[in-house]
Amino acid sequence: MSITILGIESSCDDTSAAVIQDGYLLSNLVANQDVHRKYGGVVPELASRAHQQNIIPVVDQALKSAGISRYDIDAVAFTRGPGLLGSLLVGTSFAKGFALSGNIPLIEVNHLQAHVLTHFIREKEKSASLPSFPFLSLLVSGGHTQLIIIRDHLDMETIGRTIDDAAGEAFDKCGKVIGLPYPAGPAIDKHSVRGDPEAFQFNKPRIKDLDFSFSGLKTSFLYFVRDKVKENQDFVRKRKADLCASIQKAIIDILLDKLIKASEKTGINSIGVAGGVSANSSLRKTLANEARKREWDVYVPELRFTTDNAAMIAITGYFKFKKKLFATLDIAPVARMDI
Ligand code: KG4
Ligand code: ZN
Protein backbone atom coordinates (compact mmCIF):
# COMPACT_ATOMS: atom_id res chain seq x y z
CA MET A 1 0.00 0.00 0.00
CA SER A 2 1.38 3.42 -0.86
CA ILE A 3 1.88 6.23 1.66
CA THR A 4 0.83 9.73 0.57
CA ILE A 5 1.79 12.71 2.74
CA LEU A 6 0.65 16.33 2.45
CA GLY A 7 3.30 18.73 3.80
CA ILE A 8 2.57 22.28 4.97
CA GLU A 9 5.26 24.92 5.60
CA SER A 10 4.48 28.37 7.02
CA SER A 11 7.31 29.16 9.43
CA CYS A 12 8.37 32.51 7.98
CA ASP A 13 7.28 34.33 4.82
CA ASP A 14 6.69 31.49 2.34
CA THR A 15 3.42 29.57 2.25
CA SER A 16 4.09 26.15 0.81
CA ALA A 17 2.31 22.83 0.30
CA ALA A 18 3.71 19.61 -1.18
CA VAL A 19 2.65 16.04 -1.79
CA ILE A 20 5.08 13.12 -1.38
CA GLN A 21 4.09 9.56 -2.24
CA ASP A 22 6.34 6.71 -1.07
CA GLY A 23 9.24 9.15 -0.82
CA TYR A 24 8.70 10.58 -4.35
CA LEU A 25 7.66 14.18 -4.89
CA LEU A 26 4.35 14.67 -6.71
CA SER A 27 4.05 18.44 -6.25
CA ASN A 28 5.60 21.36 -4.38
CA LEU A 29 3.96 24.80 -4.45
CA VAL A 30 5.48 27.91 -2.86
CA ALA A 31 3.75 31.30 -2.57
CA ASN A 32 6.30 34.01 -1.77
CA GLN A 33 5.24 37.15 0.06
CA ASP A 34 6.45 40.28 -1.71
CA VAL A 35 4.73 42.50 0.85
CA HIS A 36 7.88 42.52 3.08
CA ARG A 37 10.25 43.84 0.45
CA LYS A 38 9.64 47.52 1.11
CA TYR A 39 10.24 47.07 4.87
CA GLY A 40 13.70 45.52 4.41
CA GLY A 41 12.76 42.39 6.39
CA VAL A 42 9.86 40.13 7.31
CA VAL A 43 7.03 41.87 9.19
CA PRO A 44 5.48 39.10 11.36
CA GLU A 45 1.90 40.43 11.38
CA LEU A 46 1.87 40.86 7.59
CA ALA A 47 3.38 37.39 7.13
CA SER A 48 0.66 35.81 9.24
CA ARG A 49 -2.08 37.58 7.28
CA ALA A 50 -0.58 36.60 3.93
CA HIS A 51 -0.38 32.96 5.07
CA GLN A 52 -4.10 33.06 5.86
CA GLN A 53 -4.84 34.30 2.35
CA ASN A 54 -2.49 31.86 0.63
CA ILE A 55 -2.88 28.59 2.47
CA ILE A 56 -6.08 27.25 0.91
CA PRO A 57 -5.23 28.10 -2.74
CA VAL A 58 -1.68 26.76 -2.28
CA VAL A 59 -2.87 23.42 -0.83
CA ASP A 60 -5.59 23.19 -3.48
CA GLN A 61 -3.02 23.72 -6.25
CA ALA A 62 -0.59 21.24 -4.69
CA LEU A 63 -3.28 18.53 -4.70
CA LYS A 64 -4.30 19.38 -8.27
CA SER A 65 -0.78 19.33 -9.66
CA ALA A 66 -0.13 16.04 -7.82
CA GLY A 67 -3.21 14.69 -9.61
CA ILE A 68 -4.84 13.46 -6.40
CA SER A 69 -7.81 14.34 -4.24
CA ARG A 70 -7.77 15.18 -0.53
CA TYR A 71 -9.17 11.70 0.17
CA ASP A 72 -5.93 10.14 -1.14
CA ILE A 73 -3.85 11.77 1.61
CA ASP A 74 -2.78 9.38 4.41
CA ALA A 75 -1.38 12.01 6.80
CA VAL A 76 -0.71 15.73 7.02
CA ALA A 77 2.71 16.94 8.15
CA PHE A 78 3.21 20.55 9.24
CA THR A 79 6.03 22.77 10.52
CA ARG A 80 5.66 23.09 14.29
CA GLY A 81 8.72 25.37 14.69
CA PRO A 82 11.07 27.09 14.92
CA GLY A 83 9.72 30.22 13.27
CA LEU A 84 7.39 33.19 13.67
CA LEU A 85 4.56 32.20 15.97
CA GLY A 86 1.83 34.00 14.00
CA SER A 87 2.99 32.33 10.78
CA LEU A 88 3.33 28.88 12.34
CA LEU A 89 -0.16 29.17 13.81
CA VAL A 90 -1.71 29.40 10.34
CA GLY A 91 -0.05 26.21 9.06
CA THR A 92 -0.65 24.37 12.33
CA SER A 93 -4.35 25.29 12.46
CA PHE A 94 -4.86 24.39 8.82
CA ALA A 95 -3.10 21.01 9.27
CA LYS A 96 -5.22 20.22 12.33
CA GLY A 97 -8.43 21.04 10.46
CA PHE A 98 -7.34 18.96 7.47
CA ALA A 99 -6.41 15.96 9.66
CA LEU A 100 -9.60 16.18 11.69
CA SER A 101 -11.91 16.48 8.69
CA GLY A 102 -10.20 13.61 6.85
CA ASN A 103 -9.76 11.52 10.02
CA ILE A 104 -6.07 11.04 9.21
CA PRO A 105 -2.95 11.35 11.39
CA LEU A 106 -1.26 14.67 12.09
CA ILE A 107 2.56 14.80 12.06
CA GLU A 108 4.59 17.63 13.60
CA VAL A 109 7.85 18.50 11.86
CA ASN A 110 10.89 20.39 13.11
CA HIS A 111 11.80 22.89 10.36
CA LEU A 112 15.54 22.41 10.96
CA GLN A 113 15.34 18.61 10.70
CA ALA A 114 13.37 19.07 7.50
CA HIS A 115 16.06 21.28 5.90
CA VAL A 116 18.65 18.62 6.75
CA LEU A 117 16.51 15.83 5.22
CA THR A 118 16.09 17.73 1.92
CA HIS A 119 18.58 15.35 0.24
CA PHE A 120 16.09 12.48 0.60
CA ILE A 121 13.38 14.06 -1.60
CA ARG A 122 13.25 11.76 -4.62
CA GLU A 123 11.81 12.66 -7.99
CA LYS A 124 10.60 10.19 -10.60
CA GLU A 125 12.84 9.93 -13.67
CA LYS A 126 15.70 11.62 -11.85
CA SER A 127 18.42 9.48 -10.37
CA ALA A 128 19.78 10.79 -7.12
CA SER A 129 22.45 9.45 -4.83
CA LEU A 130 21.30 9.71 -1.24
CA PRO A 131 23.69 10.30 1.65
CA SER A 132 24.44 7.26 3.78
CA PHE A 133 24.59 7.52 7.57
CA PRO A 134 26.27 9.06 9.38
CA PHE A 135 26.67 12.31 7.48
CA LEU A 136 27.51 15.82 8.50
CA SER A 137 25.21 18.70 7.59
CA LEU A 138 25.98 22.40 7.37
CA LEU A 139 22.59 24.06 7.80
CA VAL A 140 22.79 27.68 6.70
CA SER A 141 19.65 29.77 6.48
CA GLY A 142 18.30 33.19 7.36
CA GLY A 143 17.62 32.13 10.94
CA HIS A 144 20.08 29.30 11.57
CA THR A 145 23.69 28.28 11.16
CA GLN A 146 24.45 24.85 12.56
CA LEU A 147 26.68 21.82 12.13
CA ILE A 148 24.75 18.61 12.65
CA ILE A 149 25.63 14.91 12.73
CA ILE A 150 22.84 12.82 11.15
CA ARG A 151 22.95 9.23 12.36
CA ASP A 152 19.56 8.26 10.96
CA HIS A 153 16.62 10.11 9.39
CA LEU A 154 15.30 11.11 12.79
CA ASP A 155 18.46 10.85 14.89
CA MET A 156 20.46 14.09 14.75
CA GLU A 157 22.86 15.95 17.02
CA THR A 158 23.93 19.61 16.75
CA ILE A 159 27.70 19.93 17.31
CA GLY A 160 28.12 23.62 16.44
CA ARG A 161 25.89 26.67 16.15
CA THR A 162 26.04 30.43 15.74
CA ILE A 163 26.36 32.42 18.93
CA ASP A 164 24.82 35.52 17.32
CA ASP A 165 23.67 36.13 13.72
CA ALA A 166 22.98 33.40 11.16
CA ALA A 167 24.94 33.25 7.87
CA GLY A 168 21.87 34.32 5.87
CA GLU A 169 21.34 37.21 8.26
CA ALA A 170 24.95 38.29 7.65
CA PHE A 171 24.26 38.31 3.89
CA ASP A 172 20.99 40.22 4.40
CA LYS A 173 22.34 42.80 6.87
CA CYS A 174 25.53 43.51 4.88
CA GLY A 175 23.43 43.79 1.72
CA LYS A 176 21.21 46.34 3.46
CA VAL A 177 24.29 48.44 4.30
CA ILE A 178 25.03 48.80 0.58
CA GLY A 179 21.39 49.36 -0.37
CA LEU A 180 20.42 45.92 -1.67
CA PRO A 181 16.78 44.86 -1.21
CA TYR A 182 15.77 42.14 1.26
CA PRO A 183 16.69 39.30 1.16
CA ALA A 184 20.13 40.40 -0.05
CA GLY A 185 21.77 36.95 -0.27
CA PRO A 186 20.78 36.26 -3.90
CA ALA A 187 21.76 39.81 -5.00
CA ILE A 188 25.18 39.56 -3.31
CA ASP A 189 25.68 36.23 -5.07
CA LYS A 190 24.82 37.84 -8.42
CA HIS A 191 26.98 40.99 -8.04
CA SER A 192 29.93 38.90 -6.76
CA VAL A 193 30.36 37.21 -10.11
CA ARG A 194 31.94 40.44 -11.47
CA GLY A 195 33.84 41.28 -8.29
CA ASP A 196 37.24 40.53 -6.74
CA PRO A 197 36.86 38.47 -3.54
CA GLU A 198 40.29 39.64 -2.35
CA ALA A 199 39.52 43.36 -2.83
CA PHE A 200 38.68 44.06 0.83
CA GLN A 201 39.41 42.26 4.10
CA PHE A 202 37.20 42.26 7.18
CA ASN A 203 37.65 41.11 10.79
CA LYS A 204 37.56 37.35 11.21
CA PRO A 205 35.84 35.97 14.34
CA ARG A 206 37.82 33.90 16.83
CA ILE A 207 35.23 31.55 18.26
CA LYS A 208 36.20 28.29 19.89
CA ASP A 209 35.25 24.76 18.87
CA LEU A 210 32.61 24.39 16.18
CA ASP A 211 30.52 27.47 16.95
CA PHE A 212 30.10 30.37 14.54
CA SER A 213 29.84 34.14 14.88
CA PHE A 214 28.91 36.70 12.24
CA SER A 215 28.03 39.87 14.15
CA GLY A 216 31.65 41.12 14.32
CA LEU A 217 32.03 40.67 10.58
CA LYS A 218 28.81 42.58 9.97
CA THR A 219 29.98 45.47 12.17
CA SER A 220 33.40 45.51 10.52
CA PHE A 221 31.69 45.70 7.10
CA LEU A 222 29.36 48.46 8.26
CA TYR A 223 32.20 50.68 9.62
CA PHE A 224 34.37 50.02 6.59
CA VAL A 225 31.63 51.10 4.17
CA ARG A 226 30.68 54.10 6.34
CA ASP A 227 34.29 55.36 6.39
CA LYS A 228 34.78 54.85 2.67
CA VAL A 229 31.52 56.66 1.85
CA LYS A 230 32.74 59.63 3.95
CA GLU A 231 35.78 59.84 1.64
CA ASN A 232 33.85 59.24 -1.57
CA GLN A 233 30.05 59.35 -1.87
CA ASP A 234 30.19 57.14 -4.95
CA PHE A 235 32.17 54.38 -3.28
CA VAL A 236 29.35 51.81 -2.99
CA ARG A 237 28.12 52.33 -6.52
CA LYS A 238 31.60 52.08 -8.00
CA ARG A 239 32.80 49.11 -5.94
CA LYS A 240 29.55 47.18 -5.43
CA ALA A 241 30.79 44.01 -7.13
CA ASP A 242 34.06 44.00 -5.14
CA LEU A 243 32.20 44.69 -1.88
CA CYS A 244 29.80 41.82 -2.56
CA ALA A 245 32.53 39.37 -3.60
CA SER A 246 34.65 40.25 -0.54
CA ILE A 247 31.88 39.93 2.06
CA GLN A 248 30.63 36.76 0.40
CA LYS A 249 34.14 35.26 0.58
CA ALA A 250 34.47 36.27 4.26
CA ILE A 251 31.18 34.52 5.13
CA ILE A 252 32.08 31.39 3.15
CA ASP A 253 35.56 31.25 4.74
CA ILE A 254 33.97 31.22 8.21
CA LEU A 255 31.59 28.42 7.19
CA LEU A 256 34.24 26.29 5.50
CA ASP A 257 36.74 26.69 8.34
CA LYS A 258 34.27 25.16 10.83
CA LEU A 259 33.00 22.54 8.39
CA ILE A 260 36.56 21.27 7.82
CA LYS A 261 37.16 21.21 11.60
CA ALA A 262 33.90 19.29 12.12
CA SER A 263 34.81 16.72 9.48
CA GLU A 264 38.27 16.25 10.99
CA LYS A 265 36.91 16.00 14.52
CA THR A 266 34.16 13.48 13.70
CA GLY A 267 35.98 11.60 10.93
CA ILE A 268 32.86 12.00 8.75
CA ASN A 269 33.55 12.68 5.07
CA SER A 270 29.98 12.57 3.86
CA ILE A 271 28.84 16.21 3.84
CA GLY A 272 25.43 17.75 3.19
CA VAL A 273 24.61 21.44 2.95
CA ALA A 274 21.09 22.79 3.34
CA GLY A 275 19.06 25.97 3.92
CA GLY A 276 18.68 29.16 1.90
CA VAL A 277 22.38 30.06 1.88
CA SER A 278 23.21 26.68 0.30
CA ALA A 279 21.85 28.24 -2.92
CA ASN A 280 24.97 30.44 -2.99
CA SER A 281 26.94 29.69 -6.14
CA SER A 282 30.34 30.45 -4.62
CA LEU A 283 29.64 28.28 -1.55
CA ARG A 284 28.73 25.45 -3.93
CA LYS A 285 31.94 25.91 -5.93
CA THR A 286 34.08 26.12 -2.79
CA LEU A 287 32.46 22.93 -1.46
CA ALA A 288 33.10 21.12 -4.72
CA ASN A 289 36.79 22.14 -4.58
CA GLU A 290 37.13 21.01 -0.97
CA ALA A 291 35.40 17.75 -1.86
CA ARG A 292 38.06 17.02 -4.49
CA LYS A 293 40.88 17.98 -2.14
CA ARG A 294 39.59 16.11 0.89
CA GLU A 295 37.80 13.21 -0.78
CA TRP A 296 34.46 14.26 0.65
CA ASP A 297 31.13 13.09 -0.75
CA VAL A 298 29.16 16.33 -0.97
CA TYR A 299 25.36 16.52 -1.21
CA VAL A 300 23.89 19.82 -2.36
CA PRO A 301 20.09 20.26 -2.76
CA GLU A 302 18.50 21.44 -5.96
CA LEU A 303 18.06 25.22 -5.84
CA ARG A 304 14.27 25.08 -5.32
CA PHE A 305 14.78 22.93 -2.20
CA THR A 306 17.36 25.21 -0.58
CA THR A 307 14.96 27.90 0.63
CA ASP A 308 11.82 27.14 2.62
CA ASN A 309 9.53 24.61 0.95
CA ALA A 310 6.94 22.03 1.96
CA ALA A 311 8.60 19.14 0.09
CA MET A 312 11.15 18.92 2.92
CA ILE A 313 8.30 18.93 5.46
CA ALA A 314 6.47 16.16 3.58
CA ILE A 315 9.58 13.94 3.30
CA THR A 316 10.24 14.31 7.04
CA GLY A 317 6.55 13.51 7.61
CA TYR A 318 6.98 10.39 5.47
CA PHE A 319 9.83 9.10 7.69
CA LYS A 320 7.80 9.87 10.81
CA PHE A 321 4.70 8.18 9.36
CA LYS A 322 6.68 4.96 8.86
CA LYS A 323 7.55 5.06 12.58
CA LYS A 324 3.98 6.02 13.51
CA LEU A 325 5.20 9.20 15.20
CA PHE A 326 1.90 11.07 15.23
CA ALA A 327 0.88 14.26 17.02
CA THR A 328 -2.33 14.87 18.93
CA LEU A 329 -4.79 17.64 18.11
CA ASP A 330 -3.81 19.71 21.15
CA ILE A 331 -0.29 20.32 19.78
CA ALA A 332 0.81 23.97 19.66
CA PRO A 333 3.45 25.64 17.48
CA VAL A 334 6.70 26.79 19.11
CA ALA A 335 8.87 29.74 18.09
CA ARG A 336 12.11 28.22 19.37
CA MET A 337 13.07 24.63 18.84
CA ASP A 338 16.37 22.78 18.59
CA ILE A 339 17.10 19.72 16.47
O1 KG4 B 1 16.09 28.69 4.45
P1 KG4 B 1 15.54 30.05 4.14
O2 KG4 B 1 14.61 30.18 2.95
O3 KG4 B 1 14.73 30.64 5.33
C1 KG4 B 1 15.05 30.44 6.67
O4 KG4 B 1 14.65 29.37 7.22
O5 KG4 B 1 15.74 31.32 7.19
O6 KG4 B 1 16.80 31.01 3.97
C2 KG4 B 1 16.69 32.37 3.60
C3 KG4 B 1 18.08 32.99 3.60
C4 KG4 B 1 18.09 34.50 3.43
O7 KG4 B 1 18.92 35.06 4.42
C5 KG4 B 1 18.69 34.71 2.03
O8 KG4 B 1 19.39 35.92 1.88
C6 KG4 B 1 19.60 33.52 1.92
O9 KG4 B 1 18.88 32.45 2.52
N1 KG4 B 1 19.92 33.18 0.52
C7 KG4 B 1 21.16 33.30 -0.01
C8 KG4 B 1 21.05 32.94 -1.38
N2 KG4 B 1 19.75 32.60 -1.63
C9 KG4 B 1 19.07 32.75 -0.45
N3 KG4 B 1 22.32 33.70 0.55
C10 KG4 B 1 23.41 33.73 -0.26
N4 KG4 B 1 23.38 33.42 -1.57
C11 KG4 B 1 22.25 33.02 -2.17
N5 KG4 B 1 22.24 32.69 -3.47
ZN1 ZN C 1 14.26 27.54 6.58
Side-chain angles (χ1 to χ4, degrees), residues 270-307:
S270 198
I271 313 279
V273 57
V277 179
S278 71
N280 186 270
S281 61
S282 180
L283 174 62
R284 286 171 173 244
K285 258 186 232 143
T286 313
L287 272 172
N289 289 340
E290 290 298 329
R292 270 193 296 277
K293 236 191 316 185
R294 299 175 188 275
E295 299 190 350
W296 284 352
D297 288 324
V298 170
Y299 299 89
V300 182
E302 261 188 50
L303 282 182
R304 64 198 174 110
F305 300 138
T306 56
T307 45

Side-chain angles (χ1 to χ4, degrees), residues 22 33 85 225 307:
D22 300 327
Q33 302 180 357
L85 214 46
V225 172
T307 45

Side-chain angles (χ1 to χ4, degrees), residues 4 10 40 63 65 141 172-173 186 214 247 259 271 275 285 291 318:
T4 310
S10 73
L63 294 177
S65 65
S141 71
D172 297 339
K173 287 180 176 170
F214 292 97
I247 193 66
L259 181 58
I271 313 279
K285 258 186 232 143
Y318 171 69

Side-chain angles (χ1 to χ4, degrees), residues 9 11-14 111-112 115 139-144 167-172 182-190 248 274-281 303 306-309 312:
E9 155 64 29
S11 65
C12 190
D13 60 338
D14 295 315
H111 182 86
L112 305 178
H115 267 302
L139 170 58
V140 272
S141 71
H144 301 274
E169 226 176 330
F171 271 103
D172 297 339
Y182 175 87
I188 291 183
D189 193 352
K190 209 174 87 203
Q248 176 171 278
V277 179
S278 71
N280 186 270
S281 61
L303 282 182
T306 56
T307 45
D308 291 346
N309 65 86
M312 67 186 195

Side-chain angles (χ1 to χ4, degrees), residues 55-281:
I55 190 110
I56 290 173
V58 166
V59 170
D60 193 44
Q61 197 52 47
L63 294 177
K64 280 196 183 112
S65 65
I68 60 166
S69 97
R70 52 179 289 202
Y71 303 106
D72 298 318
I73 300 289
D74 294 305
V76 53
F78 70 98
T79 307
R80 184 184 182 200
L84 301 170
L85 214 46
S87 291
L88 290 164
L89 260 172
V90 179
T92 306
S93 311
F94 180 88
K96 283 184 188 180
F98 195 97
L100 190 63
S101 68
N103 195 23
I104 54 172
L106 183 66
I107 300 171
E108 58 151 313
V109 170
N110 178 320
H111 182 86
L112 305 178
Q113 274 198 351
H115 267 302
V116 168
L117 294 177
T118 300
H119 311 290
F120 296 95
I121 302 167
R122 291 173 186 246
E123 289 182 272
K124 290 246 162 77
E125 281 127 34
K126 272 194 197 172
S127 65
S129 68
L130 308 181
S132 52
F133 301 114
F135 72 98
L136 201 56
S137 181
L138 173 67
L139 170 58
V140 272
S141 71
H144 301 274
T145 299
Q146 303 196 357
L147 278 162
I148 302 149
I149 299 178
I150 295 91
R151 298 197 177 86
D152 200 354
H153 293 121
L154 303 173
D155 180 5
M156 305 183 187
E157 182 193 350
T158 302
I159 55 169
R161 52 165 60 80
T162 180
I163 59 162
D164 41 54
D165 292 348
E169 226 176 330
F171 271 103
D172 297 339
K173 287 180 176 170
C174 291
K176 195 173 177 184
V177 169
I178 55 171
L180 297 174
Y182 175 87
I188 291 183
D189 193 352
K190 209 174 87 203
H191 288 295
S192 296
V193 176
R194 290 172 291 104
D196 173 9
E198 308 289 345
F200 309 114
Q201 260 77 45
F202 308 106
N203 284 352
K204 287 256 159 74
R206 282 198 207 97
I207 305 296
K208 66 176 178 58
D209 300 329
L210 298 175
D211 287 341
F212 301 87
S213 165
F214 292 97
S215 75
L217 175 68
K218 173 196 67 191
T219 310
S220 161
F221 184 78
L222 174 70
Y223 289 164
F224 174 81
V225 172
R226 199 187 55 186
D227 292 346
K228 289 287 183 187
V229 169
K230 266 189 208 151
E231 290 166 20
N232 175 3
Q233 288 235 317
D234 254 2
F235 176 73
V236 169
R237 192 179 58 80
K238 286 199 168 137
R239 305 296 301 273
K240 192 172 273 172
D242 287 343
L243 281 167
C244 286
S246 300
I247 193 66
Q248 176 171 278
K249 180 176 186 302
I251 295 170
I252 293 173
D253 282 353
I254 295 172
L255 295 174
L256 259 292
D257 175 51
K258 296 295 174 142
L259 181 58
I260 291 164
K261 282 203 178 94
S263 169
E264 284 169 354
K265 191 170 172 181
T266 59
I268 301 175
N269 286 332
S270 198
I271 313 279
V273 57
V277 179
S278 71
N280 186 270
S281 61

